Amino acid sequence: MRQFKSIAVSTLLLVPALVSGAAEMRFPPPDFQTSYKLPDLYVPPSASSNGMWDAIILFLALAATTWMVFKARSRKGLFILSIFSLAYFGFYRTGCICPVGSTQNVMAGIFLPDVGVSVAVLSFFVMPLLFSLFFGRVFCASVCPLGAMQELVAIAPIRISPALDRTLGLGRYIYLGLAVLGVATGSGFFICRYDPFVGIYRLGHSYGMIMAGAVILVLGVFVARPYCRFLCPYGILLGWMSRFSKWHLDIPPSPCVNCRLCENSCPYNAIDMPTPQHLVENPEVGKKRIRGLVFASPVIIAVGAIAGYSMYEPLSRIHPTVTLSERIAAEDAGVVTGDTLESRTFRAGGQTAAQLNTEANGIREKFKTGGMWLGGFLGLIISLKLIGLSTVPKREIYTPHKETCFSCGRCYPYCPVEAVPKRA
Amino acid sequence: MDKQLNRHEFFQSVARGGIMAGLVGVGAAALHGTREVSECFNHNYCSSCWAFDGCGLPEKVADAQPVKAKEGEVS
C-alpha cells in the first residue's frame, strides 16, 4: 500500500512536466521571416531574490539534518526534511541556485580573470562542504533537492555489485573534470545545462532533458540515487570532505552484534562488512603493493595527461565557437549541404570566416592545456583508486563507508541494537 | 580533559585543518573579482533556456556584442 502511494505521488509529480515538455514540441517557436520583432521577454522577479535568505535556510536545513542524523537518529525525520528540501530548493526556488551548480560559479571565479561570485553563491558552495568535513554527507541525506527527489522514488531498490558500483562511479570524475574544463574555457555551465531534474522543478524544458529526468527517476526506483552515485560532480567533493569528517553516522548506538541487517538495508553499498578471515593478509604484502603503485602513479598521471592533450580537438567541440567554425568551414568546402540557424546568423553578421577560425584556434589552444589537466586529474584518480584497492583494511564490525555513505538513515530501523531502547 | 589523539585521528585533524585553509583560499580567489559570471556566460534567463546553445537569433548576436566590447575594454 505504501509503495503504491509512493508510485502514485511520483507519477503525479512527473506527469505535468512530461505533458508540458510534449506540448512544447508540438508548437515549436515560429521562425519569422518578416520584420516582426519579438516582444521583450518579461521575467517576473523571483519570490525571494535575496540569496542570503536562501543561504540562511540552507544552513538551517543542514543543522536540522545533522540533528536528525546524530541526535534524533530518525529516518522518518530525514524523510520529512527531504520533502521540505524538494519543495523549497527544488520546486519553489526552481533548483537554482543549488550547491551542485554553484561549483561552476566558484570555478569561474577562480579561472576567469576579474570574475567574482557573490557571498551568497560562495556560501552555497562552502556550507555543505564544511558540514561534510565535520558530520559526513548530511547535505546528501535530505538537503539536496536532487538527492531528495531520488530518495523519494527509491521504492524497491536493489543492490548492484560493488565492482559495478565503483566502475560506474568513475563517471562522476569525468563529469566533474569536463564541467571545470567547460567553465575554464568559457564553453558553458554543463552541470546546469544537463541537470536532469531542473525541467521537472520548472515544469518545462527540452523534451530530451525531461525524458532524461524521467528515465533517471524510473531507474531510481530500482537503482537508488543513480545521479548521486554515478554522475553528481559535487558528490565527489562532499565524499572527500566526509572521508576526514570528525563525526559520522554510526549504525548501532552501542556495540554491533554483526547481524548483517544494516548491510542488507543499504542500497548504496555504503556499509563495509567485517573483514573475512580468508582476506586478512600480512601487512607487509599490502605495503609492498602500495609502494609499487605509488611509484607507478606518476606514470599513470603522465599517460593521462598525454591522452588528454592529444584529445584537445574533439574536446574543443564542446565550445560553441569551435563547432560553428567547423560548420562554416565544412559549408564553404562543400562537405555538407544546406545551412543551420547558427551558420545563417553568422553569415548575416559582419565577422569573416577567417576571423572566426582564428578565434576557434585560440580556443583550441586553451583546450590543449585544459585537456592535459583533465587527463592528469583522471590519471590521479585512477592511481588513488588502485592504491585504495591494494590493501585490505581490518574491520571487526559493520561500518558505514565515510566517503560513499549518504547519511540517509535507512539502516537505523533495521538495527536491532538501535531498536532496543525504543522498545524499552 | 581532552583524550589523547591516536595517529589516525591526528592525521585526520591535520587534514581537516588543511582542507579548511584550502576552502578559505578558494573562497578568497572566487570572491576577489569584480565582474559578474553572467558577463562571461550570459547566465541569465537566456542561458537557462533549453534552446540557448542553438539560438542564432540576431537579437542574441546583438546582445553578445556589448559583452565582447566590454571584455575588450577590460583587457
Side-chain angles (χ1 to χ4, degrees), chain A residues 280-350:
Chain A
V280 177
E281 60 180 13
N282 183 354
E284 283 307 311
V285 178
K287 282 179 188 170
K288 196 176 169 188
R289 224 179 279 133
I290 287 182
R291 271 198 297 274
L293 280 165
V294 167
F295 282 117
S297 293
V299 179
I300 298 172
I301 294 168
V303 168
I306 292 166
Y309 179 88
S310 59
M311 283 182 68
Y312 78 93
E313 207 159 323
L315 280 174
S316 68
R317 290 190 186 118
I318 63 175
H319 199 292
T321 305
V322 175
T323 319
L324 179 62
S325 167
E326 288 183 356
R327 174 75 202 186
I328 294 290
E331 282 180 16
D332 289 348
V335 179
V336 291
T337 54
D339 53 13
T340 63
L341 189 59
E342 289 85 353
S343 64
R344 276 204 303 281
T345 311
F346 170 75
R347 291 185 197 285

Side-chain angles (χ1 to χ4, degrees), chain A residues 178 181 300-316 364-379:
Chain A
L178 283 174
L181 185 65
I300 298 172
I301 294 168
V303 168
I306 292 166
Y309 179 88
S310 59
M311 283 182 68
Y312 78 93
E313 207 159 323
L315 280 174
S316 68
R364 285 191 191 99
E365 286 300 314
K366 281 188 194 173
F367 273 89
K368 282 183 182 172
T369 318
M372 200 167 69
W373 279 104
L374 174 64
F377 168 70
L378 293 177

Side-chain angles (χ1 to χ4, degrees), chain A residues 24 41 106 109-110 112-117 122 133 183 188-189 193 202 206 241 243-246 342 345 402, chain B residues 12 15-16 19-20 23 26-27 29-35 37 40-41 43 45 48 50 53-54 56 61 68 74:
Chain A
E24 188 181 81
L41 179 67
V106 172
I110 292 169
L112 302 179
D114 298 331
V115 170
V117 295
L122 184 65
L133 191 58
V183 173
F189 277 24
R193 195 182 298 169
R202 295 177 185 181
S206 69
M241 300 290 143
R243 190 172 262 272
F244 300 103
S245 59
K246 192 170 174 63
E342 289 85 353
T345 311
K402 279 184 162 188
Chain B
Q12 276 210 335
R16 264 196 304 278
I19 290 169
M20 282 170 74
L23 282 176
V26 165
L31 279 174
H32 86 283
T34 50
R35 281 195 305 162
V37 173
C40 298
F41 287 94
H43 193 236
Y45 63 84
S48 61
W50 61 270
D53 278 350
V61 176
K68 285 189 177 172
V74 171

Side-chain angles (χ1 to χ4, degrees), chain A residues 47-68:
Chain A
S48 161
S49 55
N50 187 350
M52 283 316 290
W53 277 111
D54 288 334
I56 291 167
I57 291 170
L58 175 69
F59 175 80
L60 292 175
L62 285 166
T65 305
T66 306
W67 187 79
M68 286 290 177

